[in-house]
Amino acid sequence: MLSFSILGALEVHTRTGQVDIPGDLQRTLLQVLLVSEGQAVSGETLVEEMWGESTPDNQVNALQAHISRMRRRLKSLEPDRHTSRLTVHPSGYRLAVDESEIDAAQFLGKVHRAEGIVATRPAEAVGLLRSALSMWRGPVFGPLPGGSVCRLASALYDEHRLRASELLFDAELSAGRHASILAELRDAHISNPLRERFCEQLMIALYRSGRQTDALDTYRHMWKRLSEEIGVLPSPSLRSVEHAILSHDPSLTLTSAPTLCRSA
C-alpha cells in the first residue's frame, strides 16, 4: 500500500518508509494526477503541466515514455497489487488513489468533521483541527509548484488551510482559551493582513484578556490598511466587533460567544 503527501514537497511512502520519485518531470506528472482526485487528465493537460512552453518535438511519445516509466515505478513499489494504479481512458490518464492514501484528503475530512461540531463541542473540534493543521509541512508541492493545474489546486488547499485556522480560533474562543491563543492569532493576523476574520478574532481575544485599547488599535490599523491598500472600508462584521467592544456588548463575553465567534 502506498500513501502520498502533497501538503509540502511531494512524498511517497510505502510500509517500510519514504521512497524517491526521481526527476522533476516524473514528480510533476504524479502531482497533477494526485490533485485531479481520481479524475482522468487529458494528455494535452499533462504535457502543458510538465513542459510548459518547452514542449518536446514529439510530445506524444515523450508523454507516453513518462507514463510508462511512472507505471513501472508504481508497480515496483506495490508488487502484490493486481491492477495498475495508472490507467488510460478515452478522456486521458487516471491515477487510482483512495482518500485514506493522500494527506490532502485526510486534512479536508478532519476539517469537515470539525465544522459539524465546532458550535456544540468546541474542545473536540480543536483536537481535530490541530491534528489537521499539523499535517502541513510547508507550501503545497514545496519547491516544485508545477503548472496552472497544480497552482490552482495549491491555492485551493491554502484557502482550506486558512479556513481551518479560522475554525480553530473560533473553537478555542468558544472553549474560553482566548489568552492562550493570543500569540497564534497575532501571527495569523500579521501573516494575512487583509483577512478580516483573523482581525475580528484577535480583537475579541484581546478584549476578553482585558486589553480593550489594544483591541481597538488592532481595528484602527486594519481600517487604515484596507483603506490604503485596496480602497475599501471594513466589512459590516468587522465594524460590528469594534462597536461591540466600544459599548462593552455582553455578546463579547464567553457565555454569549456564539453571537460573534461564529463559524462563517
Side-chain angles (χ1 to χ4, degrees):
M1 178 179 175
L2 296 180
S3 63
F4 305 89
S5 299
I6 64 172
L7 302 180
L10 174 67
E11 291 183 356
V12 180
H13 295 263
T14 67
R15 289 188 178 90
T16 58
Q18 185 176 343
V19 296
D20 186 38
I21 302 294
D24 286 355
L25 289 174
Q26 284 282 287
R27 293 174 68 82
T28 300
L29 170 61
L30 183 54
Q31 288 175 178
V32 180
L33 293 169
L34 285 170
V35 300
S36 298
E37 300 178 341
Q39 301 299 310
V41 186
S42 70
E44 292 83 357
T45 297
L46 290 174
V47 167
E48 183 177 345
E49 289 288 306
M50 293 169 67
W51 285 282
E53 297 180 357
S54 304
T55 307
D57 292 335
N58 196 331
Q59 56 183 263
V60 174
N61 287 349
L63 177 60
Q64 284 296 326
H66 278 283
I67 292 290
S68 297
R69 181 180 168 190
M70 178 60 69
R71 189 178 284 121
R72 290 194 301 270
R73 179 59 174 148
L74 294 173
K75 177 62 177 176
S76 72
L77 298 174
E78 295 181 295
D80 296 331
R81 186 181 176 94
H82 298 301
T83 58
S84 176
R85 280 185 181 269
L86 181 50
T87 54
V88 61
H89 298 265
S91 55
Y93 301 90
R94 176 181 179 272
L95 184 70
V97 182
D98 188 80
E99 288 186 1
S100 64
E101 297 174 327
I102 181 167
D103 62 348
Q106 295 172 39
F107 165 78
L108 292 176
K110 290 180 180 181
V111 174
H112 179 70
R113 292 198 297 276
E115 282 182 306
I117 63 173
V118 67
T120 55
R121 305 201 299 276
E124 186 177 341
V126 165
L128 275 171
L129 291 163
R130 289 205 178 276
S131 175
L133 289 165
S134 71
M135 301 175 73
W136 285 74
R137 298 169 287 109
V140 175
F141 305 133
L144 192 64
S148 59
V149 171
C150 287
R151 291 177 187 274
L152 181 61
S154 176
L156 181 60
Y157 287 128
D158 279 339
E159 181 59 33
H160 283 301
R161 177 180 58 82
L162 290 171
R163 174 61 181 149
S165 294
E166 291 175 343
L167 283 171
L168 170 64
F169 295 136
D170 277 342
E172 294 278 29
L173 288 169
S174 292
R177 299 169 182 164
H178 43 273
S180 65
I181 62 168
L182 272 174
E184 285 182 275
L185 261 174
R186 191 176 298 280
D187 285 344
H189 176 52
I190 292 172
S191 299
N192 304 274
L194 298 178
R195 199 166 181 100
E196 294 186 55
R197 186 58 185 149
F198 287 142
C199 183
E200 291 178 28
Q201 293 168 321
L202 177 58
M203 290 168 63
I204 292 169
L206 287 167
Y207 178 80
R208 287 188 183 172
S209 300
R211 298 169 59 181
Q212 179 181 7
T213 299
D214 290 337
L216 294 172
D217 281 345
T218 298
Y219 173 81
R220 283 190 285 268
H221 285 126
M222 185 69 173
W223 185 92
K224 183 178 180 181
R225 184 181 291 273
L226 290 170
S227 175
E228 292 180 351
E229 294 191 15
I230 56 177
V232 300
L233 293 173
S235 66
S237 178
L238 184 54
R239 294 200 300 271
S240 72
V241 174
E242 185 227 11
H243 178 74
I245 290 172
L246 287 169
S247 61
H248 298 281
D249 194 313
S251 65
L252 285 174
T253 64
L254 183 58
T255 55
S256 301
T259 304
L260 286 173
C261 299
R262 62 196 178 284
S263 54

